[in-house]
Amino acid sequence: MKTQLESAREGIVTKELRIVADAENIPVDVLIKKVADGSVVIPANINHKNLVPCGIGQGLRTKINANIGTSSDYGDVDTELAKLKTVIEYKADAVMDLSTGGDIDAIRKKIIEACPIVIGSVPIYQAAVQKMANYEAVVDMTEDDLFYAIEAHCKDGMDFITVHCGLTQRAIALLKQQKRVTDIVSRGGAFLTGWMLHNQKENPLYEHYDRLLEIAHRYDVTLSLGDGLRPGCTADATDRAQIEELVTLGELVHRAREAGVQTMVEGPGHVPLNQIAANMQLQKTICENAPFYVLGPLVTDIAAGYDHITGAIGGAIAATQGASFLCYVTPAEHLGLPDIEDVKNGIIASRIAAHAADIANGIPGAAEQDLRMSVARKNLDWEGQKKECIDPIRFDAVRKNKGTDTEACSMCGKYCAMKIVEKELGLTHHGRC
Amino acid sequence: MKTQLESAREGIVTKELRIVADAENIPVDVLIKKVADGSVVIPANINHKNLVPCGIGQGLRTKINANIGTSSDYGDVDTELAKLKTVIEYKADAVMDLSTGGDIDAIRKKIIEACPIVIGSVPIYQAAVQKMANYEAVVDMTEDDLFYAIEAHCKDGMDFITVHCGLTQRAIALLKQQKRVTDIVSRGGAFLTGWMLHNQKENPLYEHYDRLLEIAHRYDVTLSLGDGLRPGCTADATDRAQIEELVTLGELVHRAREAGVQTMVEGPGHVPLNQIAANMQLQKTICENAPFYVLGPLVTDIAAGYDHITGAIGGAIAATQGASFLCYVTPAEHLGLPDIEDVKNGIIASRIAAHAADIANGIPGAAEQDLRMSVARKNLDWEGQKKECIDPIRFDAVRKNKGTDTEACSMCGKYCAMKIVEKELGLTHHGRC
């Protein structure tokens, strides 16, 4: 079995590579070089049979991820399948199943079965949660428990898995020394930190990284190297603990590539706007251009209830500065679990951020869509606008609600300035006055 | 009568200047220099009796504006007064009354009377609309009609007025030559262009700028030099017509300052993310650091229904690159007139953008609020979070709706990682898992 990375290095054009090249409208021989050097990944588990492959990385359209999954209080798989349907309908490029409640194995299998887009997970959640479900402590989790969960997720078809391999004893020591405001906000990072401090051992995902690489290689699972020490508030951003972990992740990207395993790197988190560019540039050099998968970043801490907007601001900037993959943030962030409406709003906000960056980055097809939209707007062509806009359902709903679902100009009533200009002077007219 | 600008130049500390210095927590002697050199304005019409003054410009907190106003189809003043109440409750720093329907004079007086925040208007709307109401064409508007409206708005207490003085015959010629996708999207710009082309005359606001300065000086009205040729789609951004108008606005800033009149400059509009910094830097040098008042900018054209998000992305970047004043964009933009819910969402999105920029710009007090929020979050102090968050009403509503309005951690159910870390290892706990 060859991974996508190994195939690309040998010049073999896989079916997946061809599909991605077509979807991105770039030549196969350009794409294959990016996959070969690791600046693009094609997360495509050999056991994810219904996957439509998608590339993530430099020079491609910015991708976005939506999280779903049961929790201990909400363990119903049908709710999550309904969310998955929404995720697909609203055009997220990837989804993560973060289930921690109900029959986690069965839920995962059902979700993968129903999922034609790239799918990922965080296996340590299951390993830790199952310990607790057995009335044991997370700190009593064995290394085998952890690798057992990882293997199960890989075998079932996860295209990528988040593994917090860079969270070392040294990084934790730096974290303790510098006294953060919010310490650790990554759930996986917290589980591991608890385990490492209690057991006074190094992170098994770091220490036994070769074992992880062997499993990932077997199924061609892309490792998404997690940032267990990502800042949980803007005051904690870009500190020594975060950057120490990033340095280790860079080391691990290098080792994964040597083993023929594809990698992405996960990034912050809460980051002030003026620190985003530096964070993206650091990741590029330290992690040898591995695709950067960012959570937000959230550019302020005070917008609970509106963090999809905070994340869209940070995500748009991040994606113009080097991030390739944006994890959505929903309006429910910091307040509760997202419902379907939150999922929709989170996806749309992330897609706006990604698309704004794609225009700025000159990604083929991006500005062209805006041009078609603008021409339709100018021509008062509402069907044309609906076709090009980011959410046709909402487009119709708002127009209906406003009573502007007519052929008329929607904003100014009878004093439409464009109409006047058009009528009197032959300049063209459009929909926004 | 001395304007704020003239007083500052003479070293006179006005009551308004002192209030602004206190509100911004900066020394009076620092602020007075900024007002004297025009990099900060204090829009405070001598006839706006109930105004709590507010400064706009370099080194101050980024300010945001919300638009309200009747249209030909919706002429009810009570609706607009209700919107004004929302605008104040949701903490916009300024409001513009763009009324074009009903008894415009009476509505304006009532809105000003009820308005303790900075208020502005676009007098040419009224001048043009009243022509049409009399079954005449906009192009038959006389120069006196226009100046009559301007004088009426100034006399009634408008703190700033938008005047499209830089829209010259040369700029229109450039616009025609280069063939835009959406030509002109500024309503005032369109009225003037129609008038200028039909009458084959120069823009009266440019040609008779001294008359305008005399009126503005009399009431200390700040001129907000409008961008009649702002791009209406990203494809039209930063073109010759737009920049020609900006150059003229810079010339007019200089002349206004010589006449002791305060000025701001209005800016785009639809601008790709990677062109925002250049636009802001251009304005700073061309317009001698006059406060830049931007509409958005919108970083993509395709997000109708979500343009408050598109505008927040652009606004946050603009405000870190030199813009001082953000005009809100509501979710109704491009689709219809905003209702109260749209007004709320528009204001909050703009405030998030402004605040994110203030953190990045190191504005006193900005990061401190985030720190208080983050400490409250860490301590599961929900009352503390509510106090610091951008929208306490929504904060409560979401928590209630999610059933997370308890003392418990809101995200992870019983598998809260922070609790585990805290319990087993003495690290602190916070609200977000």
Side-chain angles (χ1 to χ4, degrees), chain A residues 108-350:
Chain A
R108 180 175 63 253
K109 286 176 207 288
K110 280 196 180 170
I111 289 177
I112 292 174
E113 201 180 272
C115 184
I117 61 175
V118 173
I119 185 163
S121 67
V122 192
I124 196 175
Y125 287 1
Q126 185 175 11
V129 157
Q130 286 186 336
K131 268 291 167 227
M132 290 189 277
N134 295 333
Y135 301 99
E136 295 176 84
V138 171
V139 294
D140 296 328
M141 178 175 67
T142 65
E143 293 170 14
D144 280 340
D145 288 336
L146 182 52
F147 279 101
Y148 180 86
I150 289 170
E151 172 104 36
H153 285 231
C154 291
K155 195 174 173 188
D156 283 346
M158 285 296 168
D159 300 306
F160 68 95
I161 56 170
T162 294
V163 274
H164 306 83
C165 306
L167 204 177
T168 57
Q169 287 285 0
R170 165 150 173 78
I172 294 171
L174 288 166
L175 178 122
K176 283 175 141 183
Q177 181 217 29
Q178 74 196 1
K179 299 202 192 309
R180 277 186 169 182
V181 178
T182 56
D183 292 322
I184 299 178
V185 295
S186 152
R187 191 161 17 166
F191 286 146
L192 272 174
T193 303
W195 189 93
M196 289 163 66
L197 292 176
H198 181 87
N199 294 295
Q200 298 185 39
K201 291 179 83 170
E202 188 49 279
N203 180 349
L205 296 173
Y206 180 74
E207 206 163 45
H208 306 296
Y209 188 58
D210 287 334
R211 183 173 173 186
L212 181 61
L213 290 175
E214 189 278 319
I215 299 170
H217 187 277
R218 205 176 327 139
Y219 304 98
D220 197 3
V221 169
T222 299
L223 295 184
S224 189
L225 297 169
D227 55 335
L229 301 183
R230 69 168 173 270
C233 67
T234 49
D236 289 342
T238 328
D239 67 359
R240 293 190 291 277
Q242 180 198 325
I243 302 307
E244 169 68 17
E245 185 181 30
L246 184 68
V247 167
T248 305
L249 295 183
E251 174 199 351
L252 298 177
V253 166
H254 192 89
R255 283 176 59 193
R257 287 180 184 169
E258 286 180 335
V261 171
Q262 302 189 97
T263 48
M264 301 187 285
V265 172
E266 297 186 12
H270 292 238
V271 184
L273 199 151
N274 57 322
Q275 295 180 21
I276 294 175
N279 269 271
M280 300 305 120
Q281 286 155 20
L282 261 183
Q283 188 273 347
K284 285 287 148 204
T285 54
I286 288 177
C287 300
E288 303 179 13
N289 293 312
F292 204 12
Y293 176 25
V294 293
L295 176 55
L298 301 181
V299 291
T300 169
D301 309 313
I302 66 165
Y306 301 89
D307 274 325
H308 60 311
I309 298 178
T310 321
I313 295 171
I317 298 168
T320 57
Q321 299 289 332
S324 299
F325 194 21
L326 308 179
C327 187
Y328 85 167
V329 181
T330 79
E333 184 77 14
H334 299 108
L335 294 173
L337 287 171
D339 58 25
I340 286 197
E341 203 53 37
D342 295 321
V343 168
K344 283 183 197 174
N345 281 308
I347 290 174
I348 295 289
S350 293

Side-chain angles (χ1 to χ4, degrees), chain A residues 71-74 100 129 132-133 137-139 175-176 180-187 190-191 193-195 197-198 230 232-235 270 272-274 295 299-310 312-313 316-317 320 331-339 342 345 348-349 352-353 355-357 359-360 369-371 373-375 377-378 382 385 388-391 394-395 398-399 401-402 404 410-415 417-418 420-421 424-425 427-428 430 432-433, chain B residues 71-74 100 129 132-133 137-139 175-176 180-187 190-191 193-195 197-198 230 232-235 270 272-274 295 299-310 312-313 316-317 320 331-339 342 345 348-349 352-353 355-357 359-360 369-371 373-375 377-378 382 385 388-391 394-395 398-399 401-402 404 410-415 417-418 420-421 424-425 427-428 430 432-433:
Chain A
S71 69
S72 59
D73 298 332
Y74 301 91
T100 56
V129 157
M132 290 189 277
V138 171
V139 294
L175 178 122
K176 283 175 141 183
R180 277 186 169 182
V181 178
T182 56
D183 292 322
I184 299 178
V185 295
S186 152
R187 191 161 17 166
F191 286 146
T193 303
W195 189 93
L197 292 176
H198 181 87
R230 69 168 173 270
C233 67
T234 49
H270 292 238
L273 199 151
N274 57 322
L295 176 55
V299 291
T300 169
D301 309 313
I302 66 165
Y306 301 89
D307 274 325
H308 60 311
I309 298 178
T310 321
I313 295 171
I317 298 168
T320 57
E333 184 77 14
H334 299 108
L335 294 173
L337 287 171
D339 58 25
D342 295 321
N345 281 308
I348 295 289
I352 290 172
H355 183 74
I359 297 170
Q369 185 180 355
D370 288 59
L371 185 58
M373 178 77 174
S374 301
V375 169
R377 185 168 280 157
K378 181 182 68 172
W382 297 102
Q385 290 181 63
E388 300 298 342
C389 77
I390 201 151
D391 181 357
R394 178 155 174 142
F395 186 86
V398 174
R399 293 192 72 222
N401 173 263
K402 303 274 175 208
T404 49
S410 60
M411 299 280 290
C412 309
K414 67 180 173 179
Y415 303 128
M418 298 340 109
I420 294 162
V421 171
E424 306 217 8
L425 299 145
L427 287 176
T428 49
H430 60 91
R432 159 71 176 104
C433 303
Chain B
S71 69
S72 59
D73 298 332
Y74 301 91
T100 57
V129 158
M132 291 189 277
V138 171
V139 295
L175 177 122
K176 283 175 141 182
R180 278 185 168 182
V181 178
T182 55
D183 292 320
I184 299 178
V185 296
S186 152
R187 190 160 18 166
F191 286 146
T193 303
W195 189 94
L197 291 177
H198 181 88
R230 69 168 173 270
C233 67
T234 49
H270 292 239
L273 199 151
N274 57 323
L295 176 55
V299 290
T300 169
D301 309 314
I302 66 165
Y306 301 90
D307 274 325
H308 59 312
I309 297 178
T310 320
I313 295 171
I317 298 168
T320 58
E333 184 77 13
H334 300 109
L335 294 173
L337 288 171
D339 58 25
D342 294 321
N345 281 309
I348 294 289
I352 289 172
H355 183 74
I359 296 170
Q369 185 181 355
D370 288 60
L371 185 58
M373 179 78 176
S374 302
V375 169
R377 185 168 279 157
K378 182 182 68 173
W382 297 102
Q385 289 181 63
E388 301 298 342
C389 77
I390 201 152
D391 182 357
R394 179 154 174 142
F395 186 86
V398 175
R399 293 192 71 224
N401 174 262
K402 303 275 176 209
T404 49
S410 60
M411 298 281 290
C412 308
K414 67 180 174 181
Y415 304 127
M418 301 331 114
I420 293 161
V421 172
E424 306 216 8
L425 299 145
L427 287 176
T428 50
H430 61 92
R432 160 69 176 105
C433 303

Side-chain angles (χ1 to χ4, degrees), chain B residues 89-100:
Chain B
E89 187 186 351
Y90 278 78
K91 299 186 183 168
D93 303 289
V95 65
M96 290 188 80
D97 168 25
L98 306 182
S99 290
T100 57

Side-chain angles (χ1 to χ4, degrees), chain B residues 121-388:
Chain B
S121 67
V122 192
I124 194 174
Y125 287 2
Q126 184 174 12
V129 158
Q130 285 186 335
K131 267 293 167 228
M132 291 189 277
N134 293 334
Y135 302 98
E136 296 177 81
V138 171
V139 295
D140 296 328
M141 177 174 69
T142 65
E143 295 171 14
D144 280 340
D145 289 335
L146 182 51
F147 280 101
Y148 180 87
I150 289 169
E151 172 105 36
H153 286 230
C154 291
K155 195 174 173 187
D156 283 345
M158 285 296 167
D159 300 306
F160 68 95
I161 56 171
T162 294
V163 274
H164 305 84
C165 306
L167 205 177
T168 58
Q169 287 285 1
R170 165 150 173 79
I172 294 171
L174 287 166
L175 177 122
K176 283 175 141 182
Q177 181 217 31
Q178 73 195 3
K179 299 203 193 308
R180 278 185 168 182
V181 178
T182 55
D183 292 320
I184 299 178
V185 296
S186 152
R187 190 160 18 166
F191 286 146
L192 271 174
T193 303
W195 189 94
M196 288 162 67
L197 291 177
H198 181 88
N199 294 295
Q200 297 185 42
K201 291 178 84 171
E202 189 49 278
N203 180 349
L205 296 173
Y206 180 74
E207 206 164 47
H208 306 296
Y209 189 58
D210 287 334
R211 184 174 173 186
L212 181 61
L213 290 175
E214 188 276 320
I215 299 171
H217 187 278
R218 207 176 327 140
Y219 304 98
D220 197 1
V221 169
T222 298
L223 295 184
S224 189
L225 296 169
D227 55 337
L229 300 183
R230 69 168 173 270
C233 67
T234 49
D236 289 343
T238 328
D239 67 359
R240 293 190 290 278
Q242 180 199 324
I243 302 306
E244 169 68 16
E245 185 181 28
L246 183 67
V247 167
T248 305
L249 295 184
E251 174 199 350
L252 298 177
V253 165
H254 192 89
R255 282 177 59 190
R257 287 179 183 169
E258 286 180 334
V261 171
Q262 302 188 98
T263 48
M264 301 187 285
V265 172
E266 297 186 13
H270 292 239
V271 184
L273 199 151
N274 57 323
Q275 294 180 22
I276 294 175
N279 269 271
M280 300 305 121
Q281 285 155 20
L282 261 183
Q283 188 272 349
K284 286 286 149 205
T285 53
I286 288 177
C287 300
E288 303 179 12
N289 292 311
F292 204 13
Y293 175 25
V294 293
L295 176 55
L298 302 180
V299 290
T300 169
D301 309 314
I302 66 165
Y306 301 90
D307 274 325
H308 59 312
I309 297 178
T310 320
I313 295 171
I317 298 168
T320 58
Q321 300 289 332
S324 300
F325 193 20
L326 308 178
C327 187
Y328 86 167
V329 181
T330 80
E333 184 77 13
H334 300 109
L335 294 173
L337 288 171
D339 58 25
I340 284 196
E341 203 54 35
D342 294 321
V343 168
K344 283 183 197 174
N345 281 309
I347 291 174
I348 294 289
S350 292
R351 283 182 54 207
I352 289 172
H355 183 74
D358 288 347
I359 296 170
N361 293 342
I363 298 299
E368 288 79 354
Q369 185 181 355
D370 288 60
L371 185 58
R372 290 191 302 272
M373 179 78 176
S374 302
V375 169
R377 185 168 279 157
K378 182 182 68 173
N379 294 334
L380 281 181
D381 169 7
W382 297 102
E383 278 306 308
Q385 289 181 63
K386 181 180 164 184
K387 195 175 147 214
E388 301 298 342

